[in-house]
Amino acid sequence: MADSRTNSAAGPPSAFGADLHLELRGPGLRAGLTDALREVVRTGRLAPGSRLPASRSLAADLGVSRNTVVEAYAELVAEGWLTAQQGSGTRVAPGVEKQRPAPGAPRARPDEPRPRYGLWTGAPDLATFPRTQWLTVARRALTAAPHGAFGYGDARGRMELRTALADYLARARGVYAEPDQIVICSGFHHGLALMAQVLRVRRVRGVAVEAYGLDLFRDLLANAGLHTPPLYVDDHGARIDDLARLREVGAVLMTPAHQYPTGVALRPDRRTAAVEWARATGGLILEDDYDGEFRYDRQPVGALQGLDPERVVYFGSVSKSLAPGVRLGWMVLPEELIPQIVAAKGHGDYMTSALEQLTLAEFITSGAYDRHVRSMRLRYRRRRDQLVEVLRQRAPGIRVTGMAAGLQTVLELPRGTESSVVQAAARQGLPIRGLAQFRYEVADCGWQLPERDALVVNYAAPSDSAWAGALDALCRVLPSRRVSKVDLE
C-alpha cells in the first residue's frame, strides 16, 4: 500500500495532478499499479477529466521506476480509461462513468479478471430494449393522458394498463381476469412482498417453496415471519403430493410453466393436483409466470391460474420480456384478496409511475409488445440452438436439460466438477452460477435431493458482440469427459 502525494508547495495542484491513495497488489509492480489505477477510476474516486500525477512524481512517491508508471498509464490509455495529450498531462477519460456491481452479481477477486461476458441468470439482452418504439408510444401516451393521470390515482394502477393487461393475459397466457382484479406493482419482488403482508394478516404461518429457486424470495417470505418448507422438485416439476404432509402451510410459491432454474414444466396431473390441494385446504397458489411467453419448441404452457382464478394469485412482469429497469409488474388476484392487497400497498409503495404505466398500456394495445416478444422469441431460440450446437461440437459430454424455453438452460456436469468449473469460468471473466446455488433443503424435510452438478446458463443476456466470446469462454472451462447425449426434451 502506498500514498502518492504531490508536493503542493512546489506549485498549484493542477500542475501536478491529484493526490492518490493506491493499494498495489498482484504479482508484479506494473500489473499491480495498473490494476490500482483502474480501480481508482472505475469506482469514481477520480472523476472524468481529473488530472493524474506526473509520471516522475508518482514514481518517486511510490518508490518505483518512472518506466513502470509510464507503461501503466499507456495501458490504461489504450483501454480507454485515461487520455494523454501533450501539455495537458494524463487525465481520466471524459466518458468514463462510475461503475458498481449489480446486486447479486459476483465480485472479482484481486487475482481474477473483471467480468467480460454475462451468462449470469436473471436478465434479458438489455441491448435489445426497443428504445425507438418506447419513445414513440411514450410521446403518444403522454399527449393523450388526462390531467388526472398526474395525480395520486388508484392504488391498483392506471385503468388503461389494467384493461390492456386483462386482454393480453387472456389471449397470450390463458389468464382469466377483469381489470378490477389486476393490481400493478414494481415487479415480482414488490408483489410478493405485498402478498407476504396479506398472508400474515390472514394468519398464514407457512408458504411452501420449490426446492430449487432464488434465496432472495425465500428470504423475503422468511423476513415477513413466514416459514418456508421446501417442496421436492424432479423432472416433472414440484412434487405436489408432498404438500399434504407439510404442516401449517397456507400457500405455495411455484413456477409451473417453466420451473426456475431447472427449466421443467409442471406435469398436467400435478397442475390439477395443486388446484385440488388449494380447494380442499383453502390455500393459495402463488404463480410466478416469470418467462411464460418464451417457449420455442411448441405453444407456451398456459398459466395455472386459468384452472381456478379464485385459488391462484398470478404474478407477471416485463422484467424478462422488456427489461428489469422498467419496474412494472402485476398481480391478478382472487376477488377476496383485492381489498387486502390494496390496503397493504397503501402502507408502503402506494403508486407505480403513472407515465410508465400509460406507456406500457399504449405499447401493448398498439401491438408493439406482441411484435417485440415474437422478435425476442426468435432471437433467444437462435441463441439456444447455437449453444446446443457449439456444445455438441466442442463439449459433446455435456447434456443440455430443461425445456426449450425461457432465457436460461441447465448444463449437466460430471459429478464433483461444478465448483471447479464455476471458479475456472470466473478466471475467464465469465460469471456463471452453479445449480447448487439454487438448491434448498432443510434437515427435517423427509427427503434429500439427488447430488447434481450443473451450470445454469443465461444464453439471452450477452449482447451480439459478446455472444461468440462468451460461448468460447464457456467451452474452454467445461469438462471434456463424455456424460450423455444432448437432450432437448
Side-chain angles (χ1 to χ4, degrees), residues 196-208:
Q197 295 179 48
V198 169
L199 291 174
R200 290 294 294 161
V201 170
R202 293 167 67 90
R203 300 186 183 279
V204 170
R205 299 184 60 120
V207 178

Side-chain angles (χ1 to χ4, degrees), residues 134-419:
W134 191 260
L135 282 171
T136 299
V137 297
R139 187 178 297 109
R140 197 156 61 225
L142 184 60
T143 301
H147 298 318
F150 304 103
Y152 287 105
D154 191 330
R156 290 173 296 180
R158 292 294 306 176
M159 178 57 79
E160 295 91 336
L161 179 54
R162 291 188 281 130
T163 301
L165 283 171
D167 175 72
Y168 172 78
L169 294 173
R171 170 170 51 81
R173 302 298 300 128
V175 171
Y176 291 92
E178 296 295 330
D180 286 346
Q181 292 176 261
I182 298 175
V183 173
I184 306 301
C185 51
S186 299
F188 175 69
H189 189 280
H190 180 210
L192 186 62
L194 294 174
M195 182 54 59
Q197 295 179 48
V198 169
L199 291 174
R200 290 294 294 161
V201 170
R202 293 167 67 90
R203 300 186 183 279
V204 170
R205 299 184 60 120
V207 178
V209 298
E210 293 167 326
Y212 286 106
L214 282 175
D215 55 3
L216 172 69
F217 302 135
R218 293 194 299 266
D219 291 345
L220 185 156
L221 295 170
N223 290 338
L226 299 158
H227 72 94
T228 56
L231 196 60
Y232 190 93
V233 172
D234 59 24
D235 290 342
H236 303 292
R239 199 162 61 188
I240 301 301
D241 289 347
D242 289 355
L243 280 172
R245 65 173 176 75
L246 298 179
R247 299 179 180 179
E248 299 181 326
V249 166
V252 55
L253 174 61
M254 303 175 65
T255 50
H258 190 217
Q259 204 283 324
Y260 187 85
T262 65
V264 299
L266 188 65
R267 199 169 61 186
D269 62 318
R270 295 188 182 185
R271 291 164 67 93
T272 302
V275 172
E276 290 175 349
W277 168 84
R279 289 171 177 167
T281 63
L284 291 169
I285 299 170
L286 312 182
E287 179 180 13
D288 178 10
D289 195 28
Y290 69 98
D291 64 358
E293 297 97 339
F294 298 116
R295 182 79 186 259
Y296 312 128
D297 56 347
R298 65 196 76 171
Q299 281 294 110
V301 178
L304 185 64
Q305 189 263 7
L307 297 180
D308 193 336
E310 290 306 310
R311 299 264 46 101
V312 180
V313 178
Y314 176 89
F315 296 84
S317 78
V318 297
S319 294
K320 304 299 185 290
S321 57
L322 285 172
V326 177
R327 303 313 308 140
L328 282 176
W330 47 85
M331 310 167 66
V332 181
L333 299 163
E335 290 188 11
E336 64 174 317
L337 293 180
I338 297 171
Q340 293 172 305
I341 288 290
V342 170
K345 199 176 180 198
H347 290 302
D349 189 355
Y350 175 77
M351 282 191 65
T352 307
S353 168
L355 297 181
E356 298 300 325
Q357 291 184 62
L358 291 169
T359 300
L360 180 58
E362 179 66 22
F363 200 68
I364 294 172
T365 56
S366 69
Y369 186 72
D370 283 82
R371 291 191 295 272
H372 177 74
V373 168
R374 284 196 299 270
S375 172
M376 299 313 296
R377 191 182 294 133
L378 291 172
R379 182 186 189 87
Y380 294 153
R381 176 170 187 162
R382 284 195 296 268
R383 284 281 182 88
R384 191 181 193 276
D385 290 348
Q386 289 167 357
L387 171 64
V388 170
E389 178 60 21
V390 168
L391 292 178
R392 185 186 67 79
Q393 295 176 7
R394 297 183 55 183
I398 300 302
R399 178 172 174 253
V400 181
T401 64
M403 299 186 302
L407 310 185
Q408 73 278 330
T409 194
V410 176
L411 308 186
E412 301 288 344
L413 302 174
R415 285 285 299 273
T417 62
E418 179 182 311
S419 178

Side-chain angles (χ1 to χ4, degrees), residues 438-479:
F438 300 91
R439 183 186 179 111
Y440 177 51
E441 293 177 88
V442 295
D444 58 350
C445 63
W447 47 262
Q448 186 175 5
L449 287 170
E451 292 295 326
R452 186 178 176 189
D453 288 75
L455 299 179
V456 182
V457 174
N458 180 357
Y459 49 79
S463 64
D464 284 344
S465 61
W467 174 233
L471 273 181
D472 185 60
L474 176 64
C475 289
R476 286 200 300 269
V477 302
L478 290 174

